[in-house]
Amino acid sequence: MAKPLPVLRRHSATALAAYHDLVSLLLDEAVSQIRGIPTPRVRGSRTYWYDRYRVGVEMKERYLGEESEELLRRIEQHETLKADREERRRERARLVRLLRSERFLGIDSATGSLLAAFERAGVFRLGGVLVGTTGFRIYEGELGLNLTLDQAAMTNDIDIASFEKLSLALGERVLPSIGDVLHDFKFEPVPALEAGRIWRWRQTRSQTLVEFLAPSFDSEEGLRDLAALGVSAQTLHYLNFLIAEPIHAAAVYRDGILVQLPRPERFAIHKLIVADRRRDGPESLKARKDRLQAELMIGVLSQDRPTDLLEAYEDAIARGPRWRERLERSLGKSPDAAAQIANLS
Protein backbone atom coordinates (compact mmCIF):
# COMPACT_ATOMS: atom_id res chain seq x y z
CA MET A 1 0.00 0.00 0.00
CA ALA A 2 1.33 3.44 -0.96
CA LYS A 3 2.30 5.69 1.91
CA PRO A 4 -0.09 8.69 2.08
CA LEU A 5 1.16 12.23 1.81
CA PRO A 6 2.07 13.87 5.15
CA VAL A 7 -0.77 15.50 7.05
CA LEU A 8 -0.61 19.26 6.66
CA ARG A 9 -0.70 21.28 9.85
CA ARG A 10 -1.22 25.00 9.42
CA HIS A 11 -0.10 27.99 11.42
CA SER A 12 -2.78 30.49 12.40
CA ALA A 13 -3.73 33.48 10.27
CA THR A 14 -2.16 35.66 12.99
CA ALA A 15 1.17 33.87 12.65
CA LEU A 16 1.09 34.08 8.86
CA ALA A 17 0.38 37.83 8.96
CA ALA A 18 3.15 38.38 11.53
CA TYR A 19 5.65 36.49 9.38
CA HIS A 20 4.92 38.53 6.26
CA ASP A 21 5.08 41.76 8.29
CA LEU A 22 8.52 40.65 9.49
CA VAL A 23 9.74 40.11 5.92
CA SER A 24 8.41 43.54 4.93
CA LEU A 25 10.17 45.25 7.84
CA LEU A 26 13.46 43.49 6.99
CA LEU A 27 13.19 44.72 3.40
CA ASP A 28 12.51 48.24 4.72
CA GLU A 29 15.62 47.95 6.88
CA ALA A 30 17.78 46.96 3.93
CA VAL A 31 16.82 50.11 2.01
CA SER A 32 17.05 52.36 5.08
CA GLN A 33 20.83 51.87 5.00
CA ILE A 34 21.17 53.97 1.81
CA ARG A 35 23.96 56.52 2.38
CA GLY A 36 24.04 58.37 -0.92
CA ILE A 37 22.13 58.53 -4.20
CA PRO A 38 20.20 55.48 -5.48
CA THR A 39 21.50 54.84 -9.01
CA PRO A 40 20.30 52.34 -11.67
CA ARG A 41 22.67 50.24 -13.79
CA VAL A 42 21.34 48.48 -16.90
CA ARG A 43 22.93 45.16 -17.85
CA GLY A 44 21.33 43.45 -20.80
CA SER A 45 17.58 43.32 -20.22
CA ARG A 46 17.82 43.82 -16.45
CA THR A 47 18.20 46.90 -14.27
CA TYR A 48 20.10 46.77 -10.98
CA TRP A 49 20.06 49.50 -8.33
CA TYR A 50 23.04 50.71 -6.30
CA ASP A 51 23.57 53.12 -3.44
CA ARG A 52 26.26 55.49 -4.77
CA TYR A 53 28.07 57.46 -2.07
CA ARG A 54 31.38 59.22 -1.45
CA VAL A 55 34.07 58.18 1.01
CA GLY A 56 36.71 60.90 1.03
CA VAL A 57 37.58 61.51 -2.61
CA GLU A 58 36.46 58.03 -3.72
CA MET A 59 33.00 57.05 -4.97
CA LYS A 60 31.60 53.77 -3.66
CA GLU A 61 28.64 51.68 -4.78
CA ARG A 62 26.60 49.26 -2.71
CA TYR A 63 24.22 46.86 -4.46
CA LEU A 64 20.56 47.24 -3.48
CA GLY A 65 18.82 44.73 -5.73
CA GLU A 66 17.25 44.05 -9.10
CA GLU A 67 14.61 46.56 -10.12
CA SER A 68 11.05 45.78 -9.10
CA GLU A 69 8.00 47.85 -8.20
CA GLU A 70 8.52 46.91 -4.57
CA LEU A 71 12.17 48.02 -4.55
CA LEU A 72 11.39 51.30 -6.35
CA ARG A 73 8.69 52.09 -3.79
CA ARG A 74 11.10 51.52 -0.92
CA ILE A 75 13.85 53.59 -2.58
CA GLU A 76 11.41 56.50 -2.84
CA GLN A 77 10.75 56.21 0.90
CA HIS A 78 14.31 55.58 2.07
CA GLU A 79 14.72 58.85 3.99
CA THR A 80 11.56 58.15 5.99
CA LEU A 81 12.60 54.55 6.51
CA LYS A 82 16.00 55.69 7.81
CA ALA A 83 14.34 57.85 10.49
CA ASP A 84 12.25 54.93 11.78
CA ARG A 85 15.02 52.34 12.19
CA GLU A 86 14.88 51.95 15.98
CA GLU A 87 11.10 51.67 16.03
CA ARG A 88 11.29 49.10 13.23
CA ARG A 89 13.88 47.05 15.15
CA ARG A 90 11.62 46.88 18.22
CA GLU A 91 8.66 45.88 16.06
CA ARG A 92 10.68 43.09 14.45
CA ALA A 93 11.63 41.75 17.87
CA ARG A 94 7.95 41.84 18.90
CA LEU A 95 6.95 39.89 15.78
CA VAL A 96 9.60 37.23 16.43
CA ARG A 97 8.29 36.83 19.98
CA LEU A 98 4.77 36.48 18.59
CA LEU A 99 5.90 33.84 16.10
CA ARG A 100 7.60 31.84 18.81
CA SER A 101 4.42 32.02 20.92
CA GLU A 102 2.59 30.63 17.87
CA ARG A 103 4.97 27.64 17.98
CA PHE A 104 7.18 28.58 15.07
CA LEU A 105 10.22 26.32 15.13
CA GLY A 106 12.51 28.99 13.74
CA ILE A 107 16.18 28.03 13.58
CA ASP A 108 18.71 27.06 16.23
CA SER A 109 21.16 29.56 17.67
CA ALA A 110 24.25 28.11 15.97
CA THR A 111 22.67 28.28 12.52
CA GLY A 112 20.99 31.60 13.26
CA SER A 113 24.16 33.34 14.39
CA LEU A 114 26.00 32.17 11.28
CA LEU A 115 23.19 33.25 8.92
CA ALA A 116 23.13 36.64 10.67
CA ALA A 117 26.86 37.02 10.06
CA PHE A 118 26.39 36.09 6.40
CA GLU A 119 23.59 38.65 6.10
CA ARG A 120 25.76 41.42 7.60
CA ALA A 121 28.57 40.54 5.19
CA GLY A 122 26.17 40.84 2.22
CA VAL A 123 25.95 37.19 1.17
CA PHE A 124 22.21 37.22 0.48
CA ARG A 125 22.15 40.81 -0.79
CA LEU A 126 24.80 39.85 -3.36
CA GLY A 127 22.92 36.91 -4.83
CA GLY A 128 23.35 34.07 -2.35
CA VAL A 129 20.34 31.74 -2.12
CA LEU A 130 19.88 29.43 0.86
CA VAL A 131 19.15 25.93 -0.44
CA GLY A 132 18.92 22.49 1.11
CA THR A 133 17.32 21.50 4.40
CA THR A 134 18.13 24.74 6.21
CA GLY A 135 16.21 26.61 3.54
CA PHE A 136 13.37 24.09 3.72
CA ARG A 137 12.81 24.84 7.39
CA ILE A 138 12.39 28.57 6.67
CA TYR A 139 9.47 27.81 4.33
CA GLU A 140 7.53 27.35 7.58
CA GLY A 141 6.63 31.05 7.42
CA GLU A 142 6.30 31.49 3.65
CA LEU A 143 3.79 28.62 3.38
CA GLY A 144 2.24 28.82 6.85
CA LEU A 145 3.27 25.24 7.62
CA ASN A 146 3.37 24.06 11.21
CA LEU A 147 6.18 21.55 10.85
CA THR A 148 6.46 18.50 13.07
CA LEU A 149 9.79 17.44 14.53
CA ASP A 150 10.13 14.67 11.94
CA GLN A 151 9.31 17.01 9.05
CA ALA A 152 11.78 19.62 10.29
CA ALA A 153 14.55 17.15 11.11
CA MET A 154 17.70 18.53 9.57
CA THR A 155 21.42 18.52 9.61
CA ASN A 156 23.15 21.75 10.52
CA ASP A 157 24.78 21.87 7.08
CA ILE A 158 24.28 25.13 5.18
CA ASP A 159 24.25 25.24 1.37
CA ILE A 160 24.37 28.58 -0.45
CA ALA A 161 24.00 28.82 -4.22
CA SER A 162 24.38 31.65 -6.70
CA PHE A 163 24.70 32.28 -10.44
CA GLU A 164 28.27 32.81 -11.60
CA LYS A 165 27.34 35.51 -14.14
CA LEU A 166 25.23 37.47 -11.65
CA SER A 167 28.01 37.28 -9.08
CA LEU A 168 30.47 38.70 -11.61
CA ALA A 169 28.11 41.40 -12.89
CA LEU A 170 27.33 42.97 -9.52
CA GLY A 171 30.78 44.53 -9.17
CA GLU A 172 30.83 44.25 -5.37
CA ARG A 173 32.21 41.76 -2.88
CA VAL A 174 31.15 40.58 0.57
CA LEU A 175 32.85 42.28 3.51
CA PRO A 176 34.25 40.75 5.65
CA SER A 177 35.27 37.82 3.47
CA ILE A 178 33.51 34.46 3.70
CA GLY A 179 36.73 32.93 4.95
CA ASP A 180 37.00 35.48 7.78
CA VAL A 181 33.36 35.00 8.79
CA LEU A 182 33.72 31.24 8.91
CA HIS A 183 37.06 31.44 10.74
CA ASP A 184 35.30 33.38 13.52
CA PHE A 185 32.89 30.44 13.86
CA LYS A 186 35.75 27.92 14.02
CA PHE A 187 35.30 26.56 10.49
CA GLU A 188 38.27 25.27 8.54
CA PRO A 189 38.46 25.03 4.74
CA VAL A 190 38.14 21.56 3.27
CA PRO A 191 40.88 21.07 0.65
CA ALA A 192 39.60 20.72 -2.91
CA LEU A 193 41.12 18.73 -5.76
CA GLU A 194 41.96 22.02 -7.47
CA ALA A 195 44.54 23.79 -5.34
CA GLY A 196 43.49 27.20 -4.02
CA ARG A 197 39.80 26.78 -4.87
CA ILE A 198 37.84 26.37 -1.65
CA TRP A 199 34.10 25.79 -1.82
CA ARG A 200 33.36 24.05 1.48
CA TRP A 201 34.24 24.57 5.12
CA ARG A 202 33.83 22.23 8.10
CA GLN A 203 33.33 23.27 11.73
CA THR A 204 35.71 21.22 13.83
CA ARG A 205 33.55 20.97 16.97
CA SER A 206 30.28 19.98 15.27
CA GLN A 207 31.28 18.65 11.84
CA THR A 208 28.80 21.12 10.30
CA LEU A 209 29.50 21.81 6.64
CA VAL A 210 29.04 25.09 4.76
CA GLU A 211 29.08 24.60 0.98
CA PHE A 212 28.84 27.01 -1.95
CA LEU A 213 27.18 25.89 -5.17
CA ALA A 214 26.51 27.21 -8.66
CA PRO A 215 24.58 25.90 -11.68
CA SER A 216 26.48 23.84 -14.24
CA PHE A 217 25.73 24.66 -17.86
CA ASP A 218 28.39 22.26 -19.16
CA SER A 219 28.34 18.50 -19.61
CA GLU A 220 30.60 18.08 -16.59
CA GLU A 221 30.20 19.39 -13.05
CA GLY A 222 33.25 21.17 -11.70
CA LEU A 223 34.39 24.24 -9.78
CA ARG A 224 33.68 27.85 -10.74
CA ASP A 225 34.26 31.16 -8.98
CA LEU A 226 31.57 33.36 -7.44
CA ALA A 227 33.18 36.80 -7.64
CA ALA A 228 30.77 38.68 -5.37
CA LEU A 229 31.03 36.08 -2.63
CA GLY A 230 34.78 35.65 -3.03
CA VAL A 231 34.60 31.84 -3.02
CA SER A 232 34.71 28.94 -5.42
CA ALA A 233 31.56 26.87 -5.92
CA GLN A 234 30.76 23.31 -6.90
CA THR A 235 28.63 23.40 -10.02
CA LEU A 236 25.61 21.11 -10.27
CA HIS A 237 23.22 20.25 -13.06
CA TYR A 238 19.57 21.25 -12.52
CA LEU A 239 20.53 23.98 -10.02
CA ASN A 240 19.73 26.77 -12.47
CA PHE A 241 16.08 25.71 -12.31
CA LEU A 242 16.10 25.84 -8.51
CA ILE A 243 17.56 29.29 -7.89
CA ALA A 244 15.96 31.27 -10.73
CA GLU A 245 13.88 34.20 -9.42
CA PRO A 246 14.47 33.61 -5.67
CA ILE A 247 12.25 35.13 -3.00
CA HIS A 248 13.04 37.09 0.15
CA ALA A 249 12.32 35.28 3.40
CA ALA A 250 12.86 35.74 7.12
CA ALA A 251 14.77 33.36 9.35
CA VAL A 252 13.04 33.52 12.75
CA TYR A 253 16.01 34.28 15.00
CA ARG A 254 16.60 37.29 17.28
CA ASP A 255 14.85 40.15 15.46
CA GLY A 256 14.81 38.38 12.09
CA ILE A 257 17.35 37.67 9.36
CA LEU A 258 16.65 38.56 5.74
CA VAL A 259 17.67 35.69 3.45
CA GLN A 260 16.90 34.50 -0.07
CA LEU A 261 15.18 31.18 -0.77
CA PRO A 262 14.26 29.37 -3.99
CA ARG A 263 10.65 29.78 -5.05
CA PRO A 264 8.78 27.03 -3.13
CA GLU A 265 7.29 25.44 -6.25
CA ARG A 266 10.76 25.17 -7.80
CA PHE A 267 12.12 23.73 -4.56
CA ALA A 268 9.46 21.00 -4.58
CA ILE A 269 10.07 19.96 -8.20
CA HIS A 270 13.85 20.18 -7.83
CA LYS A 271 13.72 17.88 -4.79
CA LEU A 272 12.08 15.22 -6.96
CA ILE A 273 14.87 15.56 -9.52
CA VAL A 274 17.62 15.44 -6.89
CA ALA A 275 16.03 12.41 -5.25
CA ASP A 276 16.43 10.47 -8.49
CA ARG A 277 20.09 11.46 -8.73
CA ARG A 278 20.60 9.97 -5.27
CA ARG A 279 18.68 6.73 -5.73
CA ASP A 280 21.70 4.39 -5.49
CA GLY A 281 24.06 3.46 -2.65
CA PRO A 282 24.48 5.44 0.57
CA GLU A 283 22.83 8.47 -1.01
CA SER A 284 19.49 6.60 -1.06
CA LEU A 285 18.69 7.76 2.49
CA LYS A 286 19.06 11.37 1.36
CA ALA A 287 16.80 10.58 -1.59
CA ARG A 288 14.06 9.52 0.80
CA LYS A 289 14.41 12.79 2.72
CA ASP A 290 14.25 14.71 -0.58
CA ARG A 291 11.01 12.95 -1.56
CA LEU A 292 9.45 13.57 1.86
CA GLN A 293 10.19 17.29 1.60
CA ALA A 294 8.85 17.39 -1.96
CA GLU A 295 5.69 15.53 -0.92
CA LEU A 296 5.02 17.93 1.93
CA MET A 297 5.46 20.99 -0.27
CA ILE A 298 3.42 19.52 -3.13
CA GLY A 299 0.64 18.89 -0.64
CA VAL A 300 0.42 22.52 0.43
CA LEU A 301 1.20 24.07 -2.95
CA SER A 302 -1.43 21.99 -4.76
CA GLN A 303 -3.98 23.55 -2.41
CA ASP A 304 -2.68 27.10 -2.03
CA ARG A 305 -0.67 27.79 -5.20
CA PRO A 306 -1.71 25.24 -7.82
CA THR A 307 -0.90 27.46 -10.80
CA ASP A 308 2.63 28.12 -9.53
CA LEU A 309 3.21 24.41 -8.95
CA LEU A 310 1.88 23.44 -12.38
CA GLU A 311 4.00 26.06 -14.13
CA ALA A 312 7.14 24.86 -12.35
CA TYR A 313 6.38 21.23 -13.25
CA GLU A 314 5.68 22.07 -16.89
CA ASP A 315 8.86 24.17 -17.03
CA ALA A 316 10.91 21.23 -15.77
CA ILE A 317 9.47 18.57 -18.09
CA ALA A 318 9.90 20.91 -21.07
CA ARG A 319 13.66 21.00 -20.49
CA GLY A 320 14.33 17.64 -22.04
CA PRO A 321 13.98 13.87 -21.76
CA ARG A 322 16.45 13.48 -18.89
CA TRP A 323 14.45 15.92 -16.77
CA ARG A 324 11.23 14.04 -17.56
CA GLU A 325 12.79 10.66 -16.78
CA ARG A 326 14.04 11.79 -13.38
CA LEU A 327 10.68 13.28 -12.46
CA GLU A 328 8.79 10.20 -13.61
CA ARG A 329 10.98 7.87 -11.56
CA SER A 330 10.62 9.96 -8.40
CA LEU A 331 6.88 10.39 -8.83
CA GLY A 332 6.62 6.64 -9.35
CA LYS A 333 7.82 6.29 -5.75
CA SER A 334 5.42 9.03 -4.56
CA PRO A 335 2.09 8.07 -6.18
CA ASP A 336 -0.02 10.44 -4.07
CA ALA A 337 2.19 13.37 -5.02
CA ALA A 338 2.00 12.24 -8.65
CA ALA A 339 -1.81 12.22 -8.42
CA GLN A 340 -1.87 15.72 -6.96
CA ILE A 341 0.29 17.04 -9.79
CA ALA A 342 -1.83 15.22 -12.37
CA ASN A 343 -4.95 16.86 -10.94
CA LEU A 344 -3.49 20.35 -11.48
CA SER A 345 -4.04 20.33 -15.25
Side-chain angles (χ1 to χ4, degrees):
M1 180 180 295
K3 183 179 178 181
L5 284 169
V7 174
L8 297 178
R9 304 192 315 167
R10 303 283 192 156
H11 279 298
S12 69
T14 298
L16 195 58
Y19 172 80
H20 286 286
D21 283 351
L22 178 61
V23 174
S24 182
L25 289 172
L26 288 166
L27 289 168
D28 287 347
E29 179 63 20
V31 173
S32 74
Q33 298 173 30
I34 290 175
R35 299 171 58 180
I37 300 173
T39 305
R41 294 277 183 268
V42 178
R43 293 187 174 91
S45 61
R46 298 178 182 269
T47 300
Y48 303 94
W49 281 83
Y50 292 80
D51 174 17
R52 196 163 188 265
Y53 59 94
R54 186 180 298 276
V55 178
V57 297
E58 187 177 358
M59 292 302 298
K60 300 281 190 179
E61 289 189 338
R62 181 175 181 272
Y63 179 62
L64 297 174
E66 185 175 347
E67 183 170 284
S68 66
E69 291 184 8
E70 185 179 39
L71 178 60
L72 291 175
R73 178 178 58 80
R74 285 189 164 89
I75 287 174
E76 289 178 358
Q77 300 173 349
H78 77 272
E79 292 293 350
T80 301
L81 293 173
K82 188 180 299 184
D84 297 336
R85 291 187 69 183
E86 181 56 27
E87 180 181 344
R88 192 163 50 247
R89 184 192 65 79
R90 289 195 297 268
E91 177 62 8
R92 296 202 318 266
R94 184 189 73 83
L95 290 171
V96 169
R97 290 195 300 272
L98 189 155
L99 290 170
R100 293 196 183 282
S101 73
E102 290 280 336
R103 299 296 183 261
F104 258 61
L105 287 174
I107 53 177
D108 63 274
S109 60
T111 303
S113 57
L114 182 54
L115 292 182
F118 280 156
E119 182 198 25
R120 290 192 297 271
V123 169
F124 304 112
R125 181 173 56 83
L126 295 175
V129 181
L130 191 60
V131 298
T133 304
T134 302
F136 170 76
R137 190 161 180 169
I138 298 175
Y139 286 120
E140 177 185 24
E142 175 67 20
L143 299 178
L145 277 173
N146 189 343
L147 297 172
T148 66
L149 180 61
D150 288 342
Q151 291 166 348
M154 57 180 286
T155 65
N156 291 325
D157 295 350
I158 296 175
D159 300 327
I160 296 173
S162 187
F163 284 103
E164 179 188 11
K165 288 185 177 179
L166 172 63
S167 188
L168 183 64
L170 294 182
E172 190 185 343
R173 193 160 173 163
V174 295
L175 188 68
S177 72
I178 295 295
D180 287 344
V181 169
L182 289 169
H183 181 267
D184 289 343
F185 285 85
K186 310 303 181 187
F187 281 81
E188 297 293 336
V190 177
L193 292 177
E194 297 184 35
R197 303 186 83 173
I198 305 300
W199 64 279
R200 62 199 317 212
W201 282 258
R202 188 186 302 276
Q203 192 176 45
T204 51
R205 66 172 181 265
S206 68
Q207 297 302 300
T208 297
L209 274 174
V210 173
E211 300 181 340
F212 290 87
L213 310 170
S216 174
F217 297 99
D218 302 321
S219 58
E220 300 294 328
E221 297 173 331
L223 294 181
R224 307 288 291 190
D225 293 327
L226 296 176
L229 304 187
V231 297
S232 296
Q234 173 65 51
T235 64
L236 297 173
H237 297 141
Y238 309 103
L239 193 64
N240 58 314
F241 172 85
L242 175 65
I243 64 173
E245 302 176 333
I247 61 171
H248 290 108
V252 177
Y253 176 73
R254 293 187 178 176
D255 53 2
I257 305 168
L258 185 65
V259 301
Q260 287 201 122
L261 295 182
R263 302 193 68 84
E265 63 274 12
R266 289 181 177 270
F267 186 96
I269 299 302
H270 183 262
K271 278 295 179 183
L272 293 173
I273 294 170
V274 170
D276 186 66
R277 294 192 74 185
R278 290 171 164 170
R279 66 182 184 272
D280 299 321
E283 290 283 280
S284 59
L285 290 177
K286 291 183 179 180
R288 182 175 180 275
K289 181 196 71 175
D290 291 331
R291 286 195 302 274
L292 288 173
Q293 291 181 358
E295 289 166 359
L296 183 66
M297 296 191 74
I298 288 168
V300 68
L301 290 168
S302 63
Q303 295 180 25
D304 295 354
R305 308 182 188 184
T307 300
D308 292 349
L309 180 59
L310 179 60
E311 288 180 354
Y313 177 72
E314 290 178 339
D315 180 358
I317 62 174
R319 296 187 181 220
R322 185 171 297 179
W323 291 67
R324 291 193 295 274
E325 289 166 6
R326 292 199 181 282
L327 284 169
E328 287 170 2
R329 281 195 291 263
S330 277
L331 288 171
K333 297 176 182 177
S334 302
D336 289 325
Q340 290 197 332
I341 289 178
N343 289 336
L344 295 174
S345 53

